[in-house]
Amino acid sequence: MMEMYETHTHDVIVIGAGGAGLRVAIEVSAQGASVGLVCKSLLGKAHTVMAEGGIAAALANVDAGDDWETHFCDTMRGGKMLNNWRMAQLHAQEAPDRVKELERWGALFDRTKEGRIMQRAFGGHTWKRLCHVGDRTGLEMLRTLQDKGVHSGIDVYMECTITDILKDGDRVAGAMGYWRESGKFVVFPTKAIVLATGGIGKIYKVTSNSWEYTGDGQCLAYSAGAELIDMEAVQFHPTGMIWPPSVKGILVTEAVRGEGGILRNSEGQRFMEKYDPENMELSTRDVVARAIYTEVQEGRGSTHGGAYLDISHKDSEIVKRKLPSMYHQFMDFADIDITKAPMEVFPTTHYIMGGVRVEAETGRSTVPGLFAAGEVAGGMHGSNRLGGNSLSDLLVFGRRAGMGAAEYAKGVDAGSLKIDESQIELNEKELLAPFENTGGQNPYTIHQELQDIMQAYFGVFRTEERLQQGIEELAKLRVKASVLTIEGSRIYNPGWHLCRDLKSMLIVSEAIGRTALLRKESRGAHSRVDYPDSDNENWGKVNTVICKHGDEMKVDTSPLPEMPDELKRLFTEVK
Amino acid sequence: MAEATIMVFRGEAHQGGEEKEYTVPVQEGMVVLDALLYIQANYAGDLAVRWNCKAAKCGSCSAEINGKLGLTCKMRMDSLPLEEPVRVYPMKTFPLIKDLVTDVSWNYEIEKRIPPFAPPEGELTMYQEDIDRIQEFRKCIECFLCQNICHVLRTHDRKDSFFGPRYMIKIAELQMHPLDTVDRTELLNGDGGMGFCNITKCCTEVCPENIQITDNAIIPLKERVADRFFDPLLWILRKLAGK
């Protein structure tokens, strides 16, 4: 029966071609294994292009005092100590080498006077640490990895959506999906899979994320039996655009504040003085997001209900050179010249710190043969990610997951893996149901309703009552979404594609809701109005854990890995 | 609320197609992509549109709007005469897949044929003034609008003999890199088809990143090719040297 399907066999299949996926694939190829890179969009369009401010690495090019230990402590403190300490350590130690490697592959970072890589200040980072190219660092990184990737013998499967992981017993044996162009199914027999699918932003109404960010990897991992940790930790970036409505949620880079931008309320007050007088605008993202939200709630919002972010006191040529994308973004979309007038900003859903539980060294999940790297993986950033730590995360753990998966694949005899064809048939039937159903829901309507629920009940501030209500609303929506109806053929049909994306989004939303209810404290980005303080004795020592138990979603906690004494000491030493 | 009429090309590969008319409400600051997504959610769930970031940073949503080339996420409705229908068509130079989506895979094949950056051993030291001009080329978001407008590709369909403006700036970026060690002028003059470009600057005009493709990349590259292959003095010197 397998002959019925188009198949492509590889040692390792990487799902997602953003910074993490490309870095994984480059490494798998370098290790001598055959690799297939599968992505929902065209190559080079992944959400990594939207990363603006920079990549954090303790190169000490600008501030000589920087070192990996300080970067490690900043990352742990920023994450409110919920981070997997080993990931934070590896990240801080290896980020400089990964940046230099990127430069050897063609990345052109802005330079210091001495001809070295320029670094800028960012929230939560003790030193000037973010290597950057104006405010388009993500594009530079993605294009560099793309160039390296296409010359590395990687087979790229573009505009192909993976719908299911196929297992042989406990082990990964393959993946199946469809071509967006033709709607035909395709099977990828493989020894190992690396998830590099990014985040979940599209479950919220106001988000900086692109349409692709529908929680596919989290859902694939969950369905395959892997554990997800800390799913309640959703980062709301403090500064998204709010006006006009068409661009609501689009990111305004933290580099604006890194370059000296000031936040003010409608009374002209520099309100960060009240929330974090020491760090002001360069406080961590969780703090700044709550501050803006609170100012607006208390009636001191800007014209369109946000805060003013002002960089116009800086020399206009410097603003245009350091923040060219922001200059054009506001000019083109909002008719505002940021060198002369303030921007209006409000928090926007940006990133999920939680994700697939992985082993720090290898990216291995709890399912044999399944790996994860980048935003889809959990642990690295604890309960709040520092700006700039994502791009470095993609490179450090992309490489590590690539090595991990290639090594694992070497130990697996391809002949011993059997794909259960009845499973493919079942999946296929489920995927095609919206063409057969009559009188079902419009997937676009369901998506809008989901976004309304997530925005209303699972936002910046949370309470037990609202979370409970939200979870009930989600349950009702799941019933409604069980029968979807669409029009048209299988050829490039976004309505049909959305049906599968909704399945992922609904699972991820439930996971966020359940863990947000479970964690009865405030920590990092997870702010409970009914439990405003952090509870280090109890909740500070555990991850929340989600896994599939039959057809039920099981919610639990598990102890954080214990940090060794030599690293603990770094937090008490005065540097 | 104000309304606009949008005429969208609907059709599939090898089957041709036709304009379909839709009415959409117009909001302040709205862009053409908003209108297309409104049509998708309310009238035609299967309308094929390629898009990602919706912030003019990924270059996915290129189309031809009232005959003008642009990113639908950047083209504001209030910049168009809304008393007339807005006509949205797919890029003409690439084969149609469906509706507004075309097959741009040829571009990725060209990318593979350009030898990548090859640095020397050791730590890389570069000064800002040495990389300013190539950083301009690195702004490219690969929207392929320059490829779409280029008459060599659009009117004469010479994809077999010309890489197109996008890859001219790619080669320029590598050739002008202060530390690169590979020479691509032979590729430019040969398979790259540099000679096909007669510098009409159409590519520069459509670039959403305002990259000065013709002035800053193509003309300097043409000079390098001319120096290398067509300079009579150098030609004689090379002959004498037996090269």
Side-chain angles (χ1 to χ4, degrees), chain B residues 5-217:
Chain B
T5 305
I6 315 279
M7 308 285 278
V8 184
F9 175 86
R10 304 286 320 261
E12 286 176 14
H14 313 302
Q15 292 179 2
E18 56 183 14
E19 281 184 345
K20 286 239 168 91
E21 185 180 318
Y22 303 95
T23 306
V24 301
V26 179
Q27 275 190 318
E28 189 177 345
M30 185 169 165
V31 293
V32 173
L33 182 58
D34 289 315
L36 298 173
L37 297 180
Y38 184 89
I39 293 166
Q40 252 187 1
N42 294 281
Y43 307 127
D46 62 339
L47 172 65
V49 183
R50 203 182 255 141
W51 68 286
N52 278 63
C53 76
K54 208 181 168 292
K57 293 194 172 68
C58 76
S60 300
C61 62
S62 304
E64 307 196 357
I65 305 140
N66 289 350
K68 274 184 71 180
L69 275 56
L71 302 173
T72 60
C73 77
K74 202 177 172 184
M75 184 79 76
R76 277 175 51 171
M77 294 291 280
D78 57 16
S79 72
L80 302 166
L82 294 186
E83 57 280 5
E84 296 158 28
V86 176
R87 296 196 141 76
V88 190
Y89 274 70
M91 288 194 284
K92 180 176 172 252
T93 301
F94 304 107
L96 178 70
I97 292 175
K98 184 182 154 189
D99 302 340
L100 301 177
V101 175
T102 55
D103 177 0
V104 294
S105 56
W106 169 75
N107 294 288
Y108 292 91
E109 294 307 314
I110 300 298
E111 183 185 12
K112 284 185 203 162
R113 293 166 65 184
I114 300 172
F117 175 57
E121 292 299 314
E123 191 94 354
L124 303 183
T125 304
M126 289 177 263
Y127 297 93
Q128 189 62 44
E129 53 270 31
D130 296 332
I131 63 164
D132 270 338
R133 66 173 181 170
I134 53 175
Q135 278 187 329
E136 179 191 8
F137 308 139
R138 301 282 293 182
K139 292 194 303 187
C140 173
I141 56 175
E142 296 197 337
C143 64
F144 305 131
L145 284 171
C146 59
Q147 306 286 77
N148 185 37
I149 195 77
C150 174
H151 63 97
V152 180
L153 306 172
R154 186 182 179 96
T155 315
H156 305 290
D157 196 22
R158 296 308 300 269
K159 295 194 189 78
D160 57 341
S161 10
F162 182 47
F163 285 179
R166 192 288 169 253
Y167 296 100
M168 292 299 121
I169 63 167
K170 176 90 229 167
I171 293 172
E173 160 213 321
L174 293 161
Q175 288 299 100
M176 298 178 194
H177 195 298
L179 298 177
D180 181 65
T181 59
V182 177
D183 184 15
R184 298 167 193 80
T185 38
E186 207 161 314
L187 177 73
L188 262 178
N189 191 42
D191 289 357
M194 172 55 102
F196 277 91
C197 170
N198 52 3
I199 48 176
T200 52
K201 294 199 178 183
C202 311
C203 50
T204 304
E205 280 164 26
V206 298
C207 178
E209 288 290 321
N210 296 314
I211 300 171
Q212 297 302 303
I213 302 172
T214 316
D215 289 352
N216 292 352

Side-chain angles (χ1 to χ4, degrees), chain A residues 395-414:
Chain A
L395 296 177
V396 168
F397 294 104
R399 172 177 162 273
R400 285 192 160 269
M403 291 194 297
E407 180 67 27
Y408 171 88
K410 272 181 207 156
V412 178
D413 171 19

Side-chain angles (χ1 to χ4, degrees), chain A residues 376-395:
Chain A
V376 69
M380 161 66 207
H381 305 286
S383 61
N384 176 64
R385 177 174 69 79
L386 296 185
N389 270 1
S390 179
L391 292 186
S392 38
D393 168 5
L394 307 183
L395 296 177

Side-chain angles (χ1 to χ4, degrees), chain A residues 123-181:
Chain A
H125 291 283
T126 303
W127 305 103
K128 290 199 174 80
R129 189 176 284 145
L130 266 72
C131 314
H132 61 274
V133 188
D135 54 0
R136 55 162 192 87
T137 315
L139 173 67
E140 184 68 20
M141 179 164 140
L142 192 67
R143 197 67 76 232
T144 303
L145 291 168
Q146 175 185 337
D147 285 343
K148 176 72 182 169
V150 301
H151 293 104
S152 295
I154 296 164
D155 286 316
V156 183
Y157 303 92
M158 284 194 250
E159 296 201 312
C160 181
T161 301
I162 296 295
T163 57
D164 297 273
I165 288 173
L166 305 168
K167 284 170 47 178
D168 177 9
D170 288 339
R171 293 186 299 173
V172 163
M176 71 174 283
Y178 60 81
W179 292 107
R180 293 169 65 79
E181 178 174 337

Side-chain angles (χ1 to χ4, degrees), chain A residues 6-35:
Chain A
E6 178 187 345
T7 61
H8 300 278
T9 306
H10 290 282
D11 293 328
V12 180
I13 285 290
V14 183
I15 309 174
L22 274 161
R23 188 63 190 83
V24 173
I26 290 166
E27 193 60 32
V28 173
S29 185
Q31 300 290 325
S34 119
V35 58

